Amino acid sequence: MESPSGKPNLFGLDRAALGAIVAGLGEPAYRAEQIYLWLYRRRVRTIAEMTDLTKGVREALAATHDLRWPEVVERGHSRDGTIKYLFRLDDGATVESVYIPEDRRRTICISTQAGCPLKCAFCLTGISGYKRNLKPWEILGQVATIMHEVHRELGGARSAATSEGGFRGGRERPPYHARSAPPEMKTKAWNVVVMGMGEPLLNYESTVIALRALMDPDGFAVAPKKLTLSTVGILPALEKLMQEPVRPNLAISLHAPTKELRRELMPIEERYDIKDVIAAAQRYPIPHGGAVTYEYVLLGQVNDRPTHARALVRLLAGSHGKVNLIPLNPAPEIPFAPPSLEAIDEFCRILSEARITVSVRRPRGQDILAACGQLHLKRGEVPVPAPVAS
Ligand code: SAH
């Protein structure tokens, strides 16, 4: 995958990779930290703006590297304020992200793969196929773009670069004010959910590089409890994530209370058993203030009956965590119907009577096709069929 200029992108590189570049230029190691702050904390758009680097270093960097975020090709504005973004990547693959404003918080939903190989029966991304894993810059670029645009939309006075830049190069650490976050981080807290296209734990390396920069206080500075990774439960990768020094909050896509029904809806059940997935989630070291969430898409007449709710109560007996019921976001390509309001109510009641914390997701952005995969399909860009999930 070539960038238009043929140069590799600085954006998306971690400290180790930046350290190698800096060493290659014969520069002291602290230069890598300076570049890191420009990329992920202040989020400048050009190497020229990295004003604490000498002109010579900036020129040497620009000779070999680009600094780019992914290109936005479409924005869908919903009446409820939700904005759906479609990004086009260098090889023509497209991915979606969603900005969801709420009263007391605002959320960005990001993708980690172009398409998805898992083929969950009710999910448009799965139905439309799998193309490839995203690179760290393609994942982080979704967050950077949306934070930047939302801030601009809110009438932020100066760009992050001009308000923060300007301290001198040299050996000393930059003064505190120069290391502070861009203005869009200062108003309302951001939530980031890895719940867009793709299965993040099938793209482990890139996803973890992105998560580290997102949670780093010297990076995007999103609190770990406000960053949620959603997964069907790819067990070896989940075990690896548990070993990370800083981990995000966890959501598990359950969608059925028994193995038999889950394997009909989610082929990955053949590989990773529902009970093993829950056991792993129970061992996951949740960040302070967070909680494991079990996601359950309600499909009319399929998994939304009182018997299913009672089976779910039995399945989760003794587990900590909460359940998020998600009424199906329907689409012509999806061979299921949404649940009735009565079915949602009854399902919810059975769980809460069993003292399970339960919430029902309010549909957002339905007038702009915000269900997973829908904007993508509208453009008719169907990715190639999936290989078998690994
Ligand atoms: N692969 C990961 C993350 C992407 S899906 C995972 O499965 O968790 C994120 C969430 O969107 C999942 O819980 C999924 O069930 C939900 N989802 C997918 N299609 C949907 C639809 N048509 N309506 C409602 N929720 C849907």
Side-chain angles (χ1 to χ4, degrees):
M1 181 177 40
E2 279 278 290
S3 79
S5 67
K7 296 180 201 167
N9 196 350
L10 272 186
F11 193 75
L13 299 184
D14 61 10
R15 285 193 167 84
L18 294 173
I21 292 172
V22 162
L25 294 175
E27 287 290 316
Y30 69 84
R31 292 277 184 227
E33 190 61 23
Q34 292 176 313
I35 300 170
Y36 185 95
L37 292 169
W38 287 115
L39 291 175
Y40 307 121
R41 184 156 188 146
R42 294 187 285 266
R43 299 193 285 279
V44 293
R45 309 294 294 272
T46 63
I47 294 171
E49 287 166 86
M50 300 183 176
T51 47
D52 57 349
L53 303 179
T54 63
K55 197 147 177 281
V57 171
R58 279 180 269 164
E59 282 170 3
L61 272 179
T64 51
H65 288 82
D66 267 343
L67 199 179
R68 296 184 305 120
W69 295 352
E71 181 197 359
V72 179
V73 286
E74 196 170 326
R75 291 172 191 80
H77 291 261
S78 162
R79 278 187 297 276
D80 67 14
T82 300
I83 307 173
K84 180 120 185 179
Y85 285 81
L86 188 71
F87 291 92
R88 186 170 47 227
L89 309 172
D90 293 344
D91 61 352
T94 51
V95 293
E96 297 173 5
S97 319
V98 189
Y99 165 65
I100 307 155
E102 287 173 277
D103 291 344
R104 272 173 300 176
R105 59 178 192 184
R106 43 199 184 171
T107 300
I108 299 173
C109 174
I110 57 171
S111 298
T112 51
Q113 297 183 309
C116 183
L118 291 178
K119 296 196 173 302
C120 298
F122 52 84
C123 176
L124 269 185
T125 308
I127 291 168
S128 61
Y130 173 68
K131 192 156 185 183
R132 67 172 172 84
N133 278 336
L134 299 189
K135 305 274 179 217
W137 77 269
E138 295 166 331
I139 300 172
L140 287 171
Q142 299 167 52
V143 181
T145 301
I146 294 179
M147 284 183 174
H148 177 78
E149 291 204 0
V150 167
H151 168 62
R152 210 178 43 194
E153 195 100 327
L154 294 176
R158 296 169 297 172
S159 79
T162 51
S163 62
E164 307 288 349
F167 56 83
R168 305 222 162 246
R171 285 184 184 280
E172 67 284 336
R173 273 168 81 74
Y176 181 76
H177 72 270
R179 302 178 70 236
S180 64
E184 67 263 31
M185 295 298 292
K186 288 176 184 160
T187 40
K188 256 192 220 172
W190 286 100
N191 287 257
V192 176
V193 295
V194 187
M195 291 187 186
M197 301 170 90
E199 168 50 53
L201 295 186
L202 288 179
N203 183 14
Y204 188 82
E205 298 302 327
S206 295
T207 297
V208 163
I209 288 175
L211 294 178
R212 287 182 191 142
L214 288 173
M215 292 185 288
D216 190 340
D218 280 339
F220 288 74
V222 175
K225 68 173 178 187
K226 292 184 175 294
L227 173 59
T228 302
L229 179 139
S230 176
T231 178
V232 297
I234 308 295
L235 290 175
L238 189 56
E239 296 291 340
K240 249 165 70 182
L241 188 64
M242 292 189 209
Q243 308 303 321
E244 277 287 308
V246 183
R247 297 148 314 267
N249 209 357
L250 183 68
I252 297 287
S253 284
L254 218 48
H255 310 320
T258 61
K259 184 171 185 67
E260 291 64 38
L261 182 54
R262 195 172 188 252
R263 62 147 63 103
E264 278 176 38
L265 301 175
M266 303 170 70
I268 195 70
E269 173 65 26
E270 298 292 349
R271 192 129 179 184
Y272 303 115
D273 185 88
I274 187 172
K275 291 207 168 101
D276 296 339
V277 170
I278 293 171
Q282 292 299 304
R283 282 188 289 111
Y284 183 89
I286 286 287
H288 188 67
V292 181
T293 301
Y294 293 100
E295 297 166 276
Y296 193 104
V297 170
L298 288 167
L299 311 169
Q301 312 289 334
V302 172
N303 66 354
D304 67 340
R305 316 309 304 163
T307 51
H308 299 118
R310 286 191 284 268
L312 186 58
V313 168
R314 287 194 295 278
L315 183 70
L316 295 178
S319 312
H320 53 84
K322 52 190 186 184
V323 172
N324 188 210
L325 299 174
I326 310 169
L328 175 75
N329 228 328
E333 298 86 351
I334 299 176
F336 298 99
S340 67
L341 289 178
E342 294 73 32
I344 301 173
D345 262 10
E346 182 65 2
F347 204 99
C348 201
R349 193 185 59 76
I350 293 170
L351 293 189
S352 47
E353 278 183 5
R355 299 186 178 277
I356 293 177
T357 307
V358 55
S359 57
V360 180
R361 188 179 296 173
R362 192 160 48 104
R364 294 293 303 251
Q366 278 193 331
D367 53 322
I368 53 157
L369 304 173
C372 170
Q374 291 188 352
L375 188 63
H376 186 80
L377 279 192
K378 198 185 81 184
R379 290 176 61 91
E381 295 172 18
V382 180
V384 293
V388 177
S390 57

